[in-house]
Structure formats: C-alpha cells, structure tokens
C-alpha cells in the first residue's frame, strides 16, 4: 500500500502543465486494436490504467512501447480473442476492449469488468447495443462471450442513458460494421469527440460526435495514425480545487476552457477569479471560498461526476453550506467518511451530501477507496494543518501522473512513501 505524507496548511504557487486525459487515452488504445500498421498516441499519460490497457494489448499480440510522452502501438499480429480475468480486473475501463476486439476478430471473450467500486457497474447497455449490431452474446459464470461470425451490421440504436462506455463501444463496433449506424442519446463527453477524431483520421466515417446523435457509416478497414490526446479536464478540476482549498493563485497550462464550463462557473460563483486565454487558466481564489451553488452531477456538458469529490474537499473550507447531488453513480461518497476524520462537517442522505464549511481542517490518517476519492483526500490534506497520512495511493496513481512531483513543483509539502 503506497502512502502520501502531506504537510498541509500552506499556500501553493506557480504553474502546472495538464497531463493527457486518462478517459481519452484508454478508448483510443482500444481503438488502435482495429487499425492496421502503427498508431502513435502522443500526450499519453503515464498511469497504471494506461499500463493495464497496454498489458491487454500485448496479451492480444500487439506490440506496445513508450517513447517519451508517446505510446506506439502495432496490432498487426493480434492472435487472441480473449482477455483473462487477471487483466480485466486491473481496470474498470477494460470493457472498452469488447467493441474493438469483436469488430477486429468477429469474436471476443472476457470476464465482467472489475475496477473502482462506485456501486454496481453494469454493462447491460453495452451488451444490448452490440446485440442490435448483430453480435451473439452468451454470459455465464461471469464470462461474456460475444461473436459475430458474419460480421456486424449497422443499426438504429437509442441509449436509455447516455453511457460513456456504451457510446464508445458502439462507436468502435459500428466503425467497421456493414452499413450505417445511428446512435441517439449518445454521451457527449470531450473524450468521445477525441476518440472519434482518432477513428476518423484512421479512415472511419463518424459524424456528430459531441452531439446527442452520432451517425457511423461502416468502412472496410482502419489504418494506424498519429494522434495527440486532449488534456485531462478532471485533473484540471482537481488542481482548481487544490487552489481554492488552500487560497492559492495557480496557473494551469494546456487547458481547453470549453471542457470545463460547468466547473469554472461553480468556482466563479464561489468567489474565484478565473481567466482563460491561449490554453492557460489563471485561478485566483478569495481568502476564503464562499459556499458553492448546488452541484448536481450530470452527463456532459453538465457538472462531471468525476469532479464531485475534489470540489467537495474545497467546499469543506467554504463559508456556509454547499449541497451536492450525485446522480450518476450509486456509491460515490466513500471519501466523505475520511473527510470527516480531517474535521469536515458533511452529512449524506442517499444521493445528497450537505457540506457545512469550516474555518480549518486538521491533519489525520485517512484511507482512499477509489480514484477520485483519493484525489479529494489529497486536496483536503493540502489545506489541513499538520501532517496527514493518506493510504491507498495506488487508487490515485490510476489517474494522476506523478502527482506528488506535480504538487511539489507548486510548493506543496508531499512525500510518497
Ligand atoms: C466513464 O465510466 C469514465 N471512465 C468514468 O470515469 C466516469 O465517471 C463515467 O464515464 C461518467 O462520466 C472511463 O472513461 C474509463 P457510464 P463508464 O457508462 O463508461 C450506468 C474516473 O474517475 N450504466 O457513463 O463506466 C453506470 O452504472 C472514472 O476516471 C448502466 O447502468 O460510465 C453508472 O451509474 C470513474 N449500464 C452510469 O450508467 C451500462 O451498461 C454512468 O456510467 C453502463 C452504465
């Protein structure tokens, strides 16, 4: 179990370059499985989730190597159709390989995904959609067996919920299906737009990414491309929360402002001055944050569920009461119990968390239980007076590249043990 020792209560200062987006790099690595020749993915973050995806590609027979900030993938020698449980368990996002493997081989076998426990992580929407594209699916003893011996055929698919993963799996499977697929109520996250840009460069014909309706004209084959992953908007929200929680002025570089509108407006309404230009964001929080407006997590472009935990940490020090409603996942308040140990005043009732801001938080020993909860504990510990010990840092390292180095470069007193 790796830990952080955080000596908090100090201001941060300086500027930080945003890493590439984890939730864009993962589906793009899966998409490279469908491309002939070599794909070069630039700005690919060094994360354990990315290593897990690389291990899956290698197991399937691909060559994967890193050169600086780029990952080079060649999947010409794919020789397997299954992903073993040990590899599936390393990362929740591994279900994203289902659509790519099925369209590449006409068959895919994998176990139900593991990963962060944010509540039951069903994949019913994925499977229902793949069936409408012509896949036969057998599920037994936790193993999913998909086959499409005659290939996949385009279909009209309406998602009952704009699931990010299901949208990605449908786009991957439909890209080389016969005929046209029309997907309505598609997820609109920027990471989906990035995936579609990669696929269209590879020869796919995908229209409307980022809108609610996506049309995919199936093509025969895709070829490897060079692509630069978009910046990670959730890491940006995390650093903004650290700035607000510690009353520090920070500059973030490599920001795409339009990806952060919902987050920016919350911080502005809580008294922060935020200026974005030429890919740089200046955030200047007030001496003490005001209470945040009600935060309801919603599919993009609504407030992102992945930013709920880190903003809650900032709200713990605000003036007044902030209310959070977690609409996306059933069990995404596991950080609350640990924030209470740092002196926060939070009450949770089902989907609603009520945060009464306090003047100060105080160091404690806390334990992370999921990726964004871990980030929230780091943000809170940076503001808490004294030395906090945060265990479960392996969760953090799934999504944050060299985070203790990045925070130290901003003047934080963080040690990884
Ligand atoms: C993606 O997860 C992200 N992961 C998550 O980020 C993110 O929180 C989530 O989208 C929402 O934005 C990756 O991109 C690798 P969903 P995903 O399918 O695809 C239910 C992080 O912290 N659902 O949009 O799993 C599901 O249970 C991670 O970086 C079904 O019921 O999210 C959840 O309640 C955490 N049936 C809701 O929909 C399905 O078939 C949203 O899930 C699929 C999903």
């Amino acid at each position: 179990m790796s830990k952080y020792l955080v000596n908090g209560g100090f201001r941060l200062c300086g500027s930080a370059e945003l890493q590439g987006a984890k939730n864009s790099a993962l589906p793009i690595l899966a998409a490279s499985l469908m491309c002939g020749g070599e794909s070069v993915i630039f700005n690919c973050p060094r994360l354990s989730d990315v290593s897990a995806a690389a291990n899956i590609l290698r197991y399937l027979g691909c060559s994967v190597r890193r050169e600086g900030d780029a990952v080079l993938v060649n999947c010409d020698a794919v020789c397997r159709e299954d992903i073993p449980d040990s590899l599936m368990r390393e990362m929740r996002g591994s279900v994203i390989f289902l659509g790519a493997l099925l369209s590449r081989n006409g068959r895919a076998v994998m176990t139900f995904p593991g990963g962060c426990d944010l509540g039951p992580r069903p994949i019913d929407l994925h499977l229902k959609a793949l069936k409408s594209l012509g896949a036969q699916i057998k599920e037994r003893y936790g193993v999913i067996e998909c086959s499409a011996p005659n290939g996949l055929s385009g279909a009209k698919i309406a998602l009952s919920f704009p699931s990010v993963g299901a949208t990605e799996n449908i786009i991957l499977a439909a890209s080389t299906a016969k005929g046209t697929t029309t997907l309505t109520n598609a997820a609109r996250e920027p990471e989906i737009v990035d995936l579609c840009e990669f696929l269209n460069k590879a020869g796919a014909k995908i229209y409307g990414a980022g809108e609610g309706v996506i049309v995919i004209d199936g093509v025969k084959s895709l070829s490897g491309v060079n692509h630069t992953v978009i910046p990670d908007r959730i890491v940006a929200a995390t650093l903004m929360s650290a700035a607000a929680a510690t009353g520090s002025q920070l500059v973030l570089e490599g920001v795409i402002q339009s990806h952060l509108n919902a987050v920016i407006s919350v911080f502005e309404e809580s008294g922060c001055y935020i200026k974005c230009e030429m890919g740089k964001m200046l955030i200047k929080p007030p001496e003490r944050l005001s209470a945040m407006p009600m935060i309801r997590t919603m599919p993009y472009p609504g407030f992102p569920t992945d930013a709920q935990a880190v903003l809650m940490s900032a709200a713990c020090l605000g003036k007044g009461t902030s209310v959070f409603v977690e609409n996306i996942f059933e069990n995404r308040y596991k950080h609350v119990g640990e924030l209470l140990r740092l002196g926060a005043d939070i009450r949770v009732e089902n989907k609603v968390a009520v945060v009464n801001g306090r003047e100060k938080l105080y160091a404690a020993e806390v334990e992370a239980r999921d990726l964004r909860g871990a980030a929230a504990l780091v943000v809170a510990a940076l503001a808490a007076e004294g030395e906090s010990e945060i265990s479960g840092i392996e969760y953090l390292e799934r999504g944050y590249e060299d985070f203790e180095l990045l925070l130290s470069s901003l003047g934080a007193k963080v040690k990884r043990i």
Side-chain angles (χ1 to χ4, degrees), residues 59-399:
Y59 172 84
L60 293 170
C62 308
S63 75
V64 186
R65 69 180 197 283
R66 181 174 275 278
E67 275 180 19
D69 87 337
V71 167
L72 292 78
V73 188
N74 185 314
C75 295
D76 286 344
V78 165
C79 55
R80 287 195 172 110
E81 304 163 339
D82 71 301
I83 301 178
D85 193 40
S86 56
L87 290 177
M88 285 297 290
R89 283 197 175 284
E90 276 182 33
M91 174 184 67
R92 152 77 197 165
S94 25
V95 70
I96 193 58
F97 282 88
L98 186 55
L101 205 47
L102 183 60
S103 80
R104 163 75 195 240
N105 291 334
R107 190 164 179 277
V109 180
M110 56 177 60
T111 54
F112 269 80
C116 261
D117 173 22
L118 304 177
R121 300 291 293 277
I123 57 169
D124 55 306
L125 300 177
H126 299 241
L127 301 180
K128 185 165 167 253
L130 292 176
K131 274 183 196 145
S132 46
L133 290 168
Q136 284 126 36
I137 295 177
K138 272 192 246 138
E139 301 165 54
R140 62 186 184 295
Y141 317 125
V143 176
I144 311 162
E145 196 177 329
C146 288
S147 58
N150 310 318
L152 296 168
S153 308
K156 288 192 185 331
I157 302 173
L159 281 175
S160 58
F161 176 85
S163 153
V164 171
T167 300
E168 290 166 346
N169 258 330
I170 294 162
I171 289 169
L172 289 165
S175 288
T176 54
K178 286 188 271 313
T180 297
T181 296
T182 306
L183 174 57
T184 52
N185 198 23
R188 300 162 56 180
E189 272 69 4
E191 292 77 23
I192 293 187
V193 176
D194 206 25
L195 169 65
C196 292
E197 278 178 18
F198 173 91
L199 287 166
N200 282 339
K201 276 198 273 189
K205 291 192 170 71
I206 304 168
Y207 314 99
E211 312 297 316
V213 180
I214 298 181
V215 176
I216 303 136
D217 284 337
V219 295
K220 280 220 175 330
S221 63
L222 300 173
S223 46
V225 293
N226 291 359
H227 184 79
T228 300
V229 170
I230 56 171
D232 195 308
R233 60 196 168 102
I234 306 302
V235 172
T238 305
L239 293 171
M240 294 167 78
S241 300
T246 56
S248 312
Q249 174 177 315
L250 291 183
V251 172
L252 305 185
E253 300 184 4
V255 171
I256 299 179
Q257 179 180 3
S258 62
H259 293 174
L260 284 159
N261 285 335
V263 172
I264 289 171
S265 64
V266 168
F267 279 115
E268 286 178 333
E269 286 185 54
S270 312
C272 295
Y273 169 76
I274 292 175
K275 185 157 176 45
C276 294
E277 60 184 10
M278 311 289 285
K280 280 192 190 342
M281 173 197 281
L282 165 71
I283 176 165
K284 244 171 108 174
E287 191 53 34
R288 189 175 171 204
L289 214 56
S290 312
M292 292 181 177
M294 179 178 273
I295 290 183
R296 294 180 181 84
T297 63
M298 300 299 279
Y300 192 88
F303 187 90
T305 172
D306 292 350
Q308 174 254 108
V310 290
L311 264 86
M312 185 183 287
S313 289
C316 290
L317 291 135
K319 281 185 291 222
T321 300
S322 304
V323 178
F324 292 77
V325 186
E326 175 51 60
N327 294 308
I328 305 293
F329 287 103
E330 280 153 34
N331 183 14
R332 202 166 199 179
Y333 284 138
K334 285 206 287 297
H335 46 285
V336 169
E338 301 304 301
L339 289 173
L340 296 182
R341 290 168 65 97
L342 292 162
D345 175 355
I346 309 170
R347 268 191 296 289
V348 172
E349 188 79 33
N350 299 326
K351 302 197 299 184
V352 180
V354 179
V355 180
N356 292 314
R358 308 299 287 272
E359 287 267 343
K360 288 187 179 315
L361 294 180
Y362 299 94
E365 282 186 27
V366 290
E367 187 182 343
R369 292 182 172 78
D370 63 51
L371 164 56
R372 304 305 172 182
L377 295 179
V378 173
V379 169
L382 288 170
E385 291 197 351
E387 184 168 86
S388 296
E389 182 182 287
I390 305 171
S391 56
I393 288 301
E394 50 281 359
Y395 283 112
L396 184 79
E397 291 171 341
R398 299 184 51 184

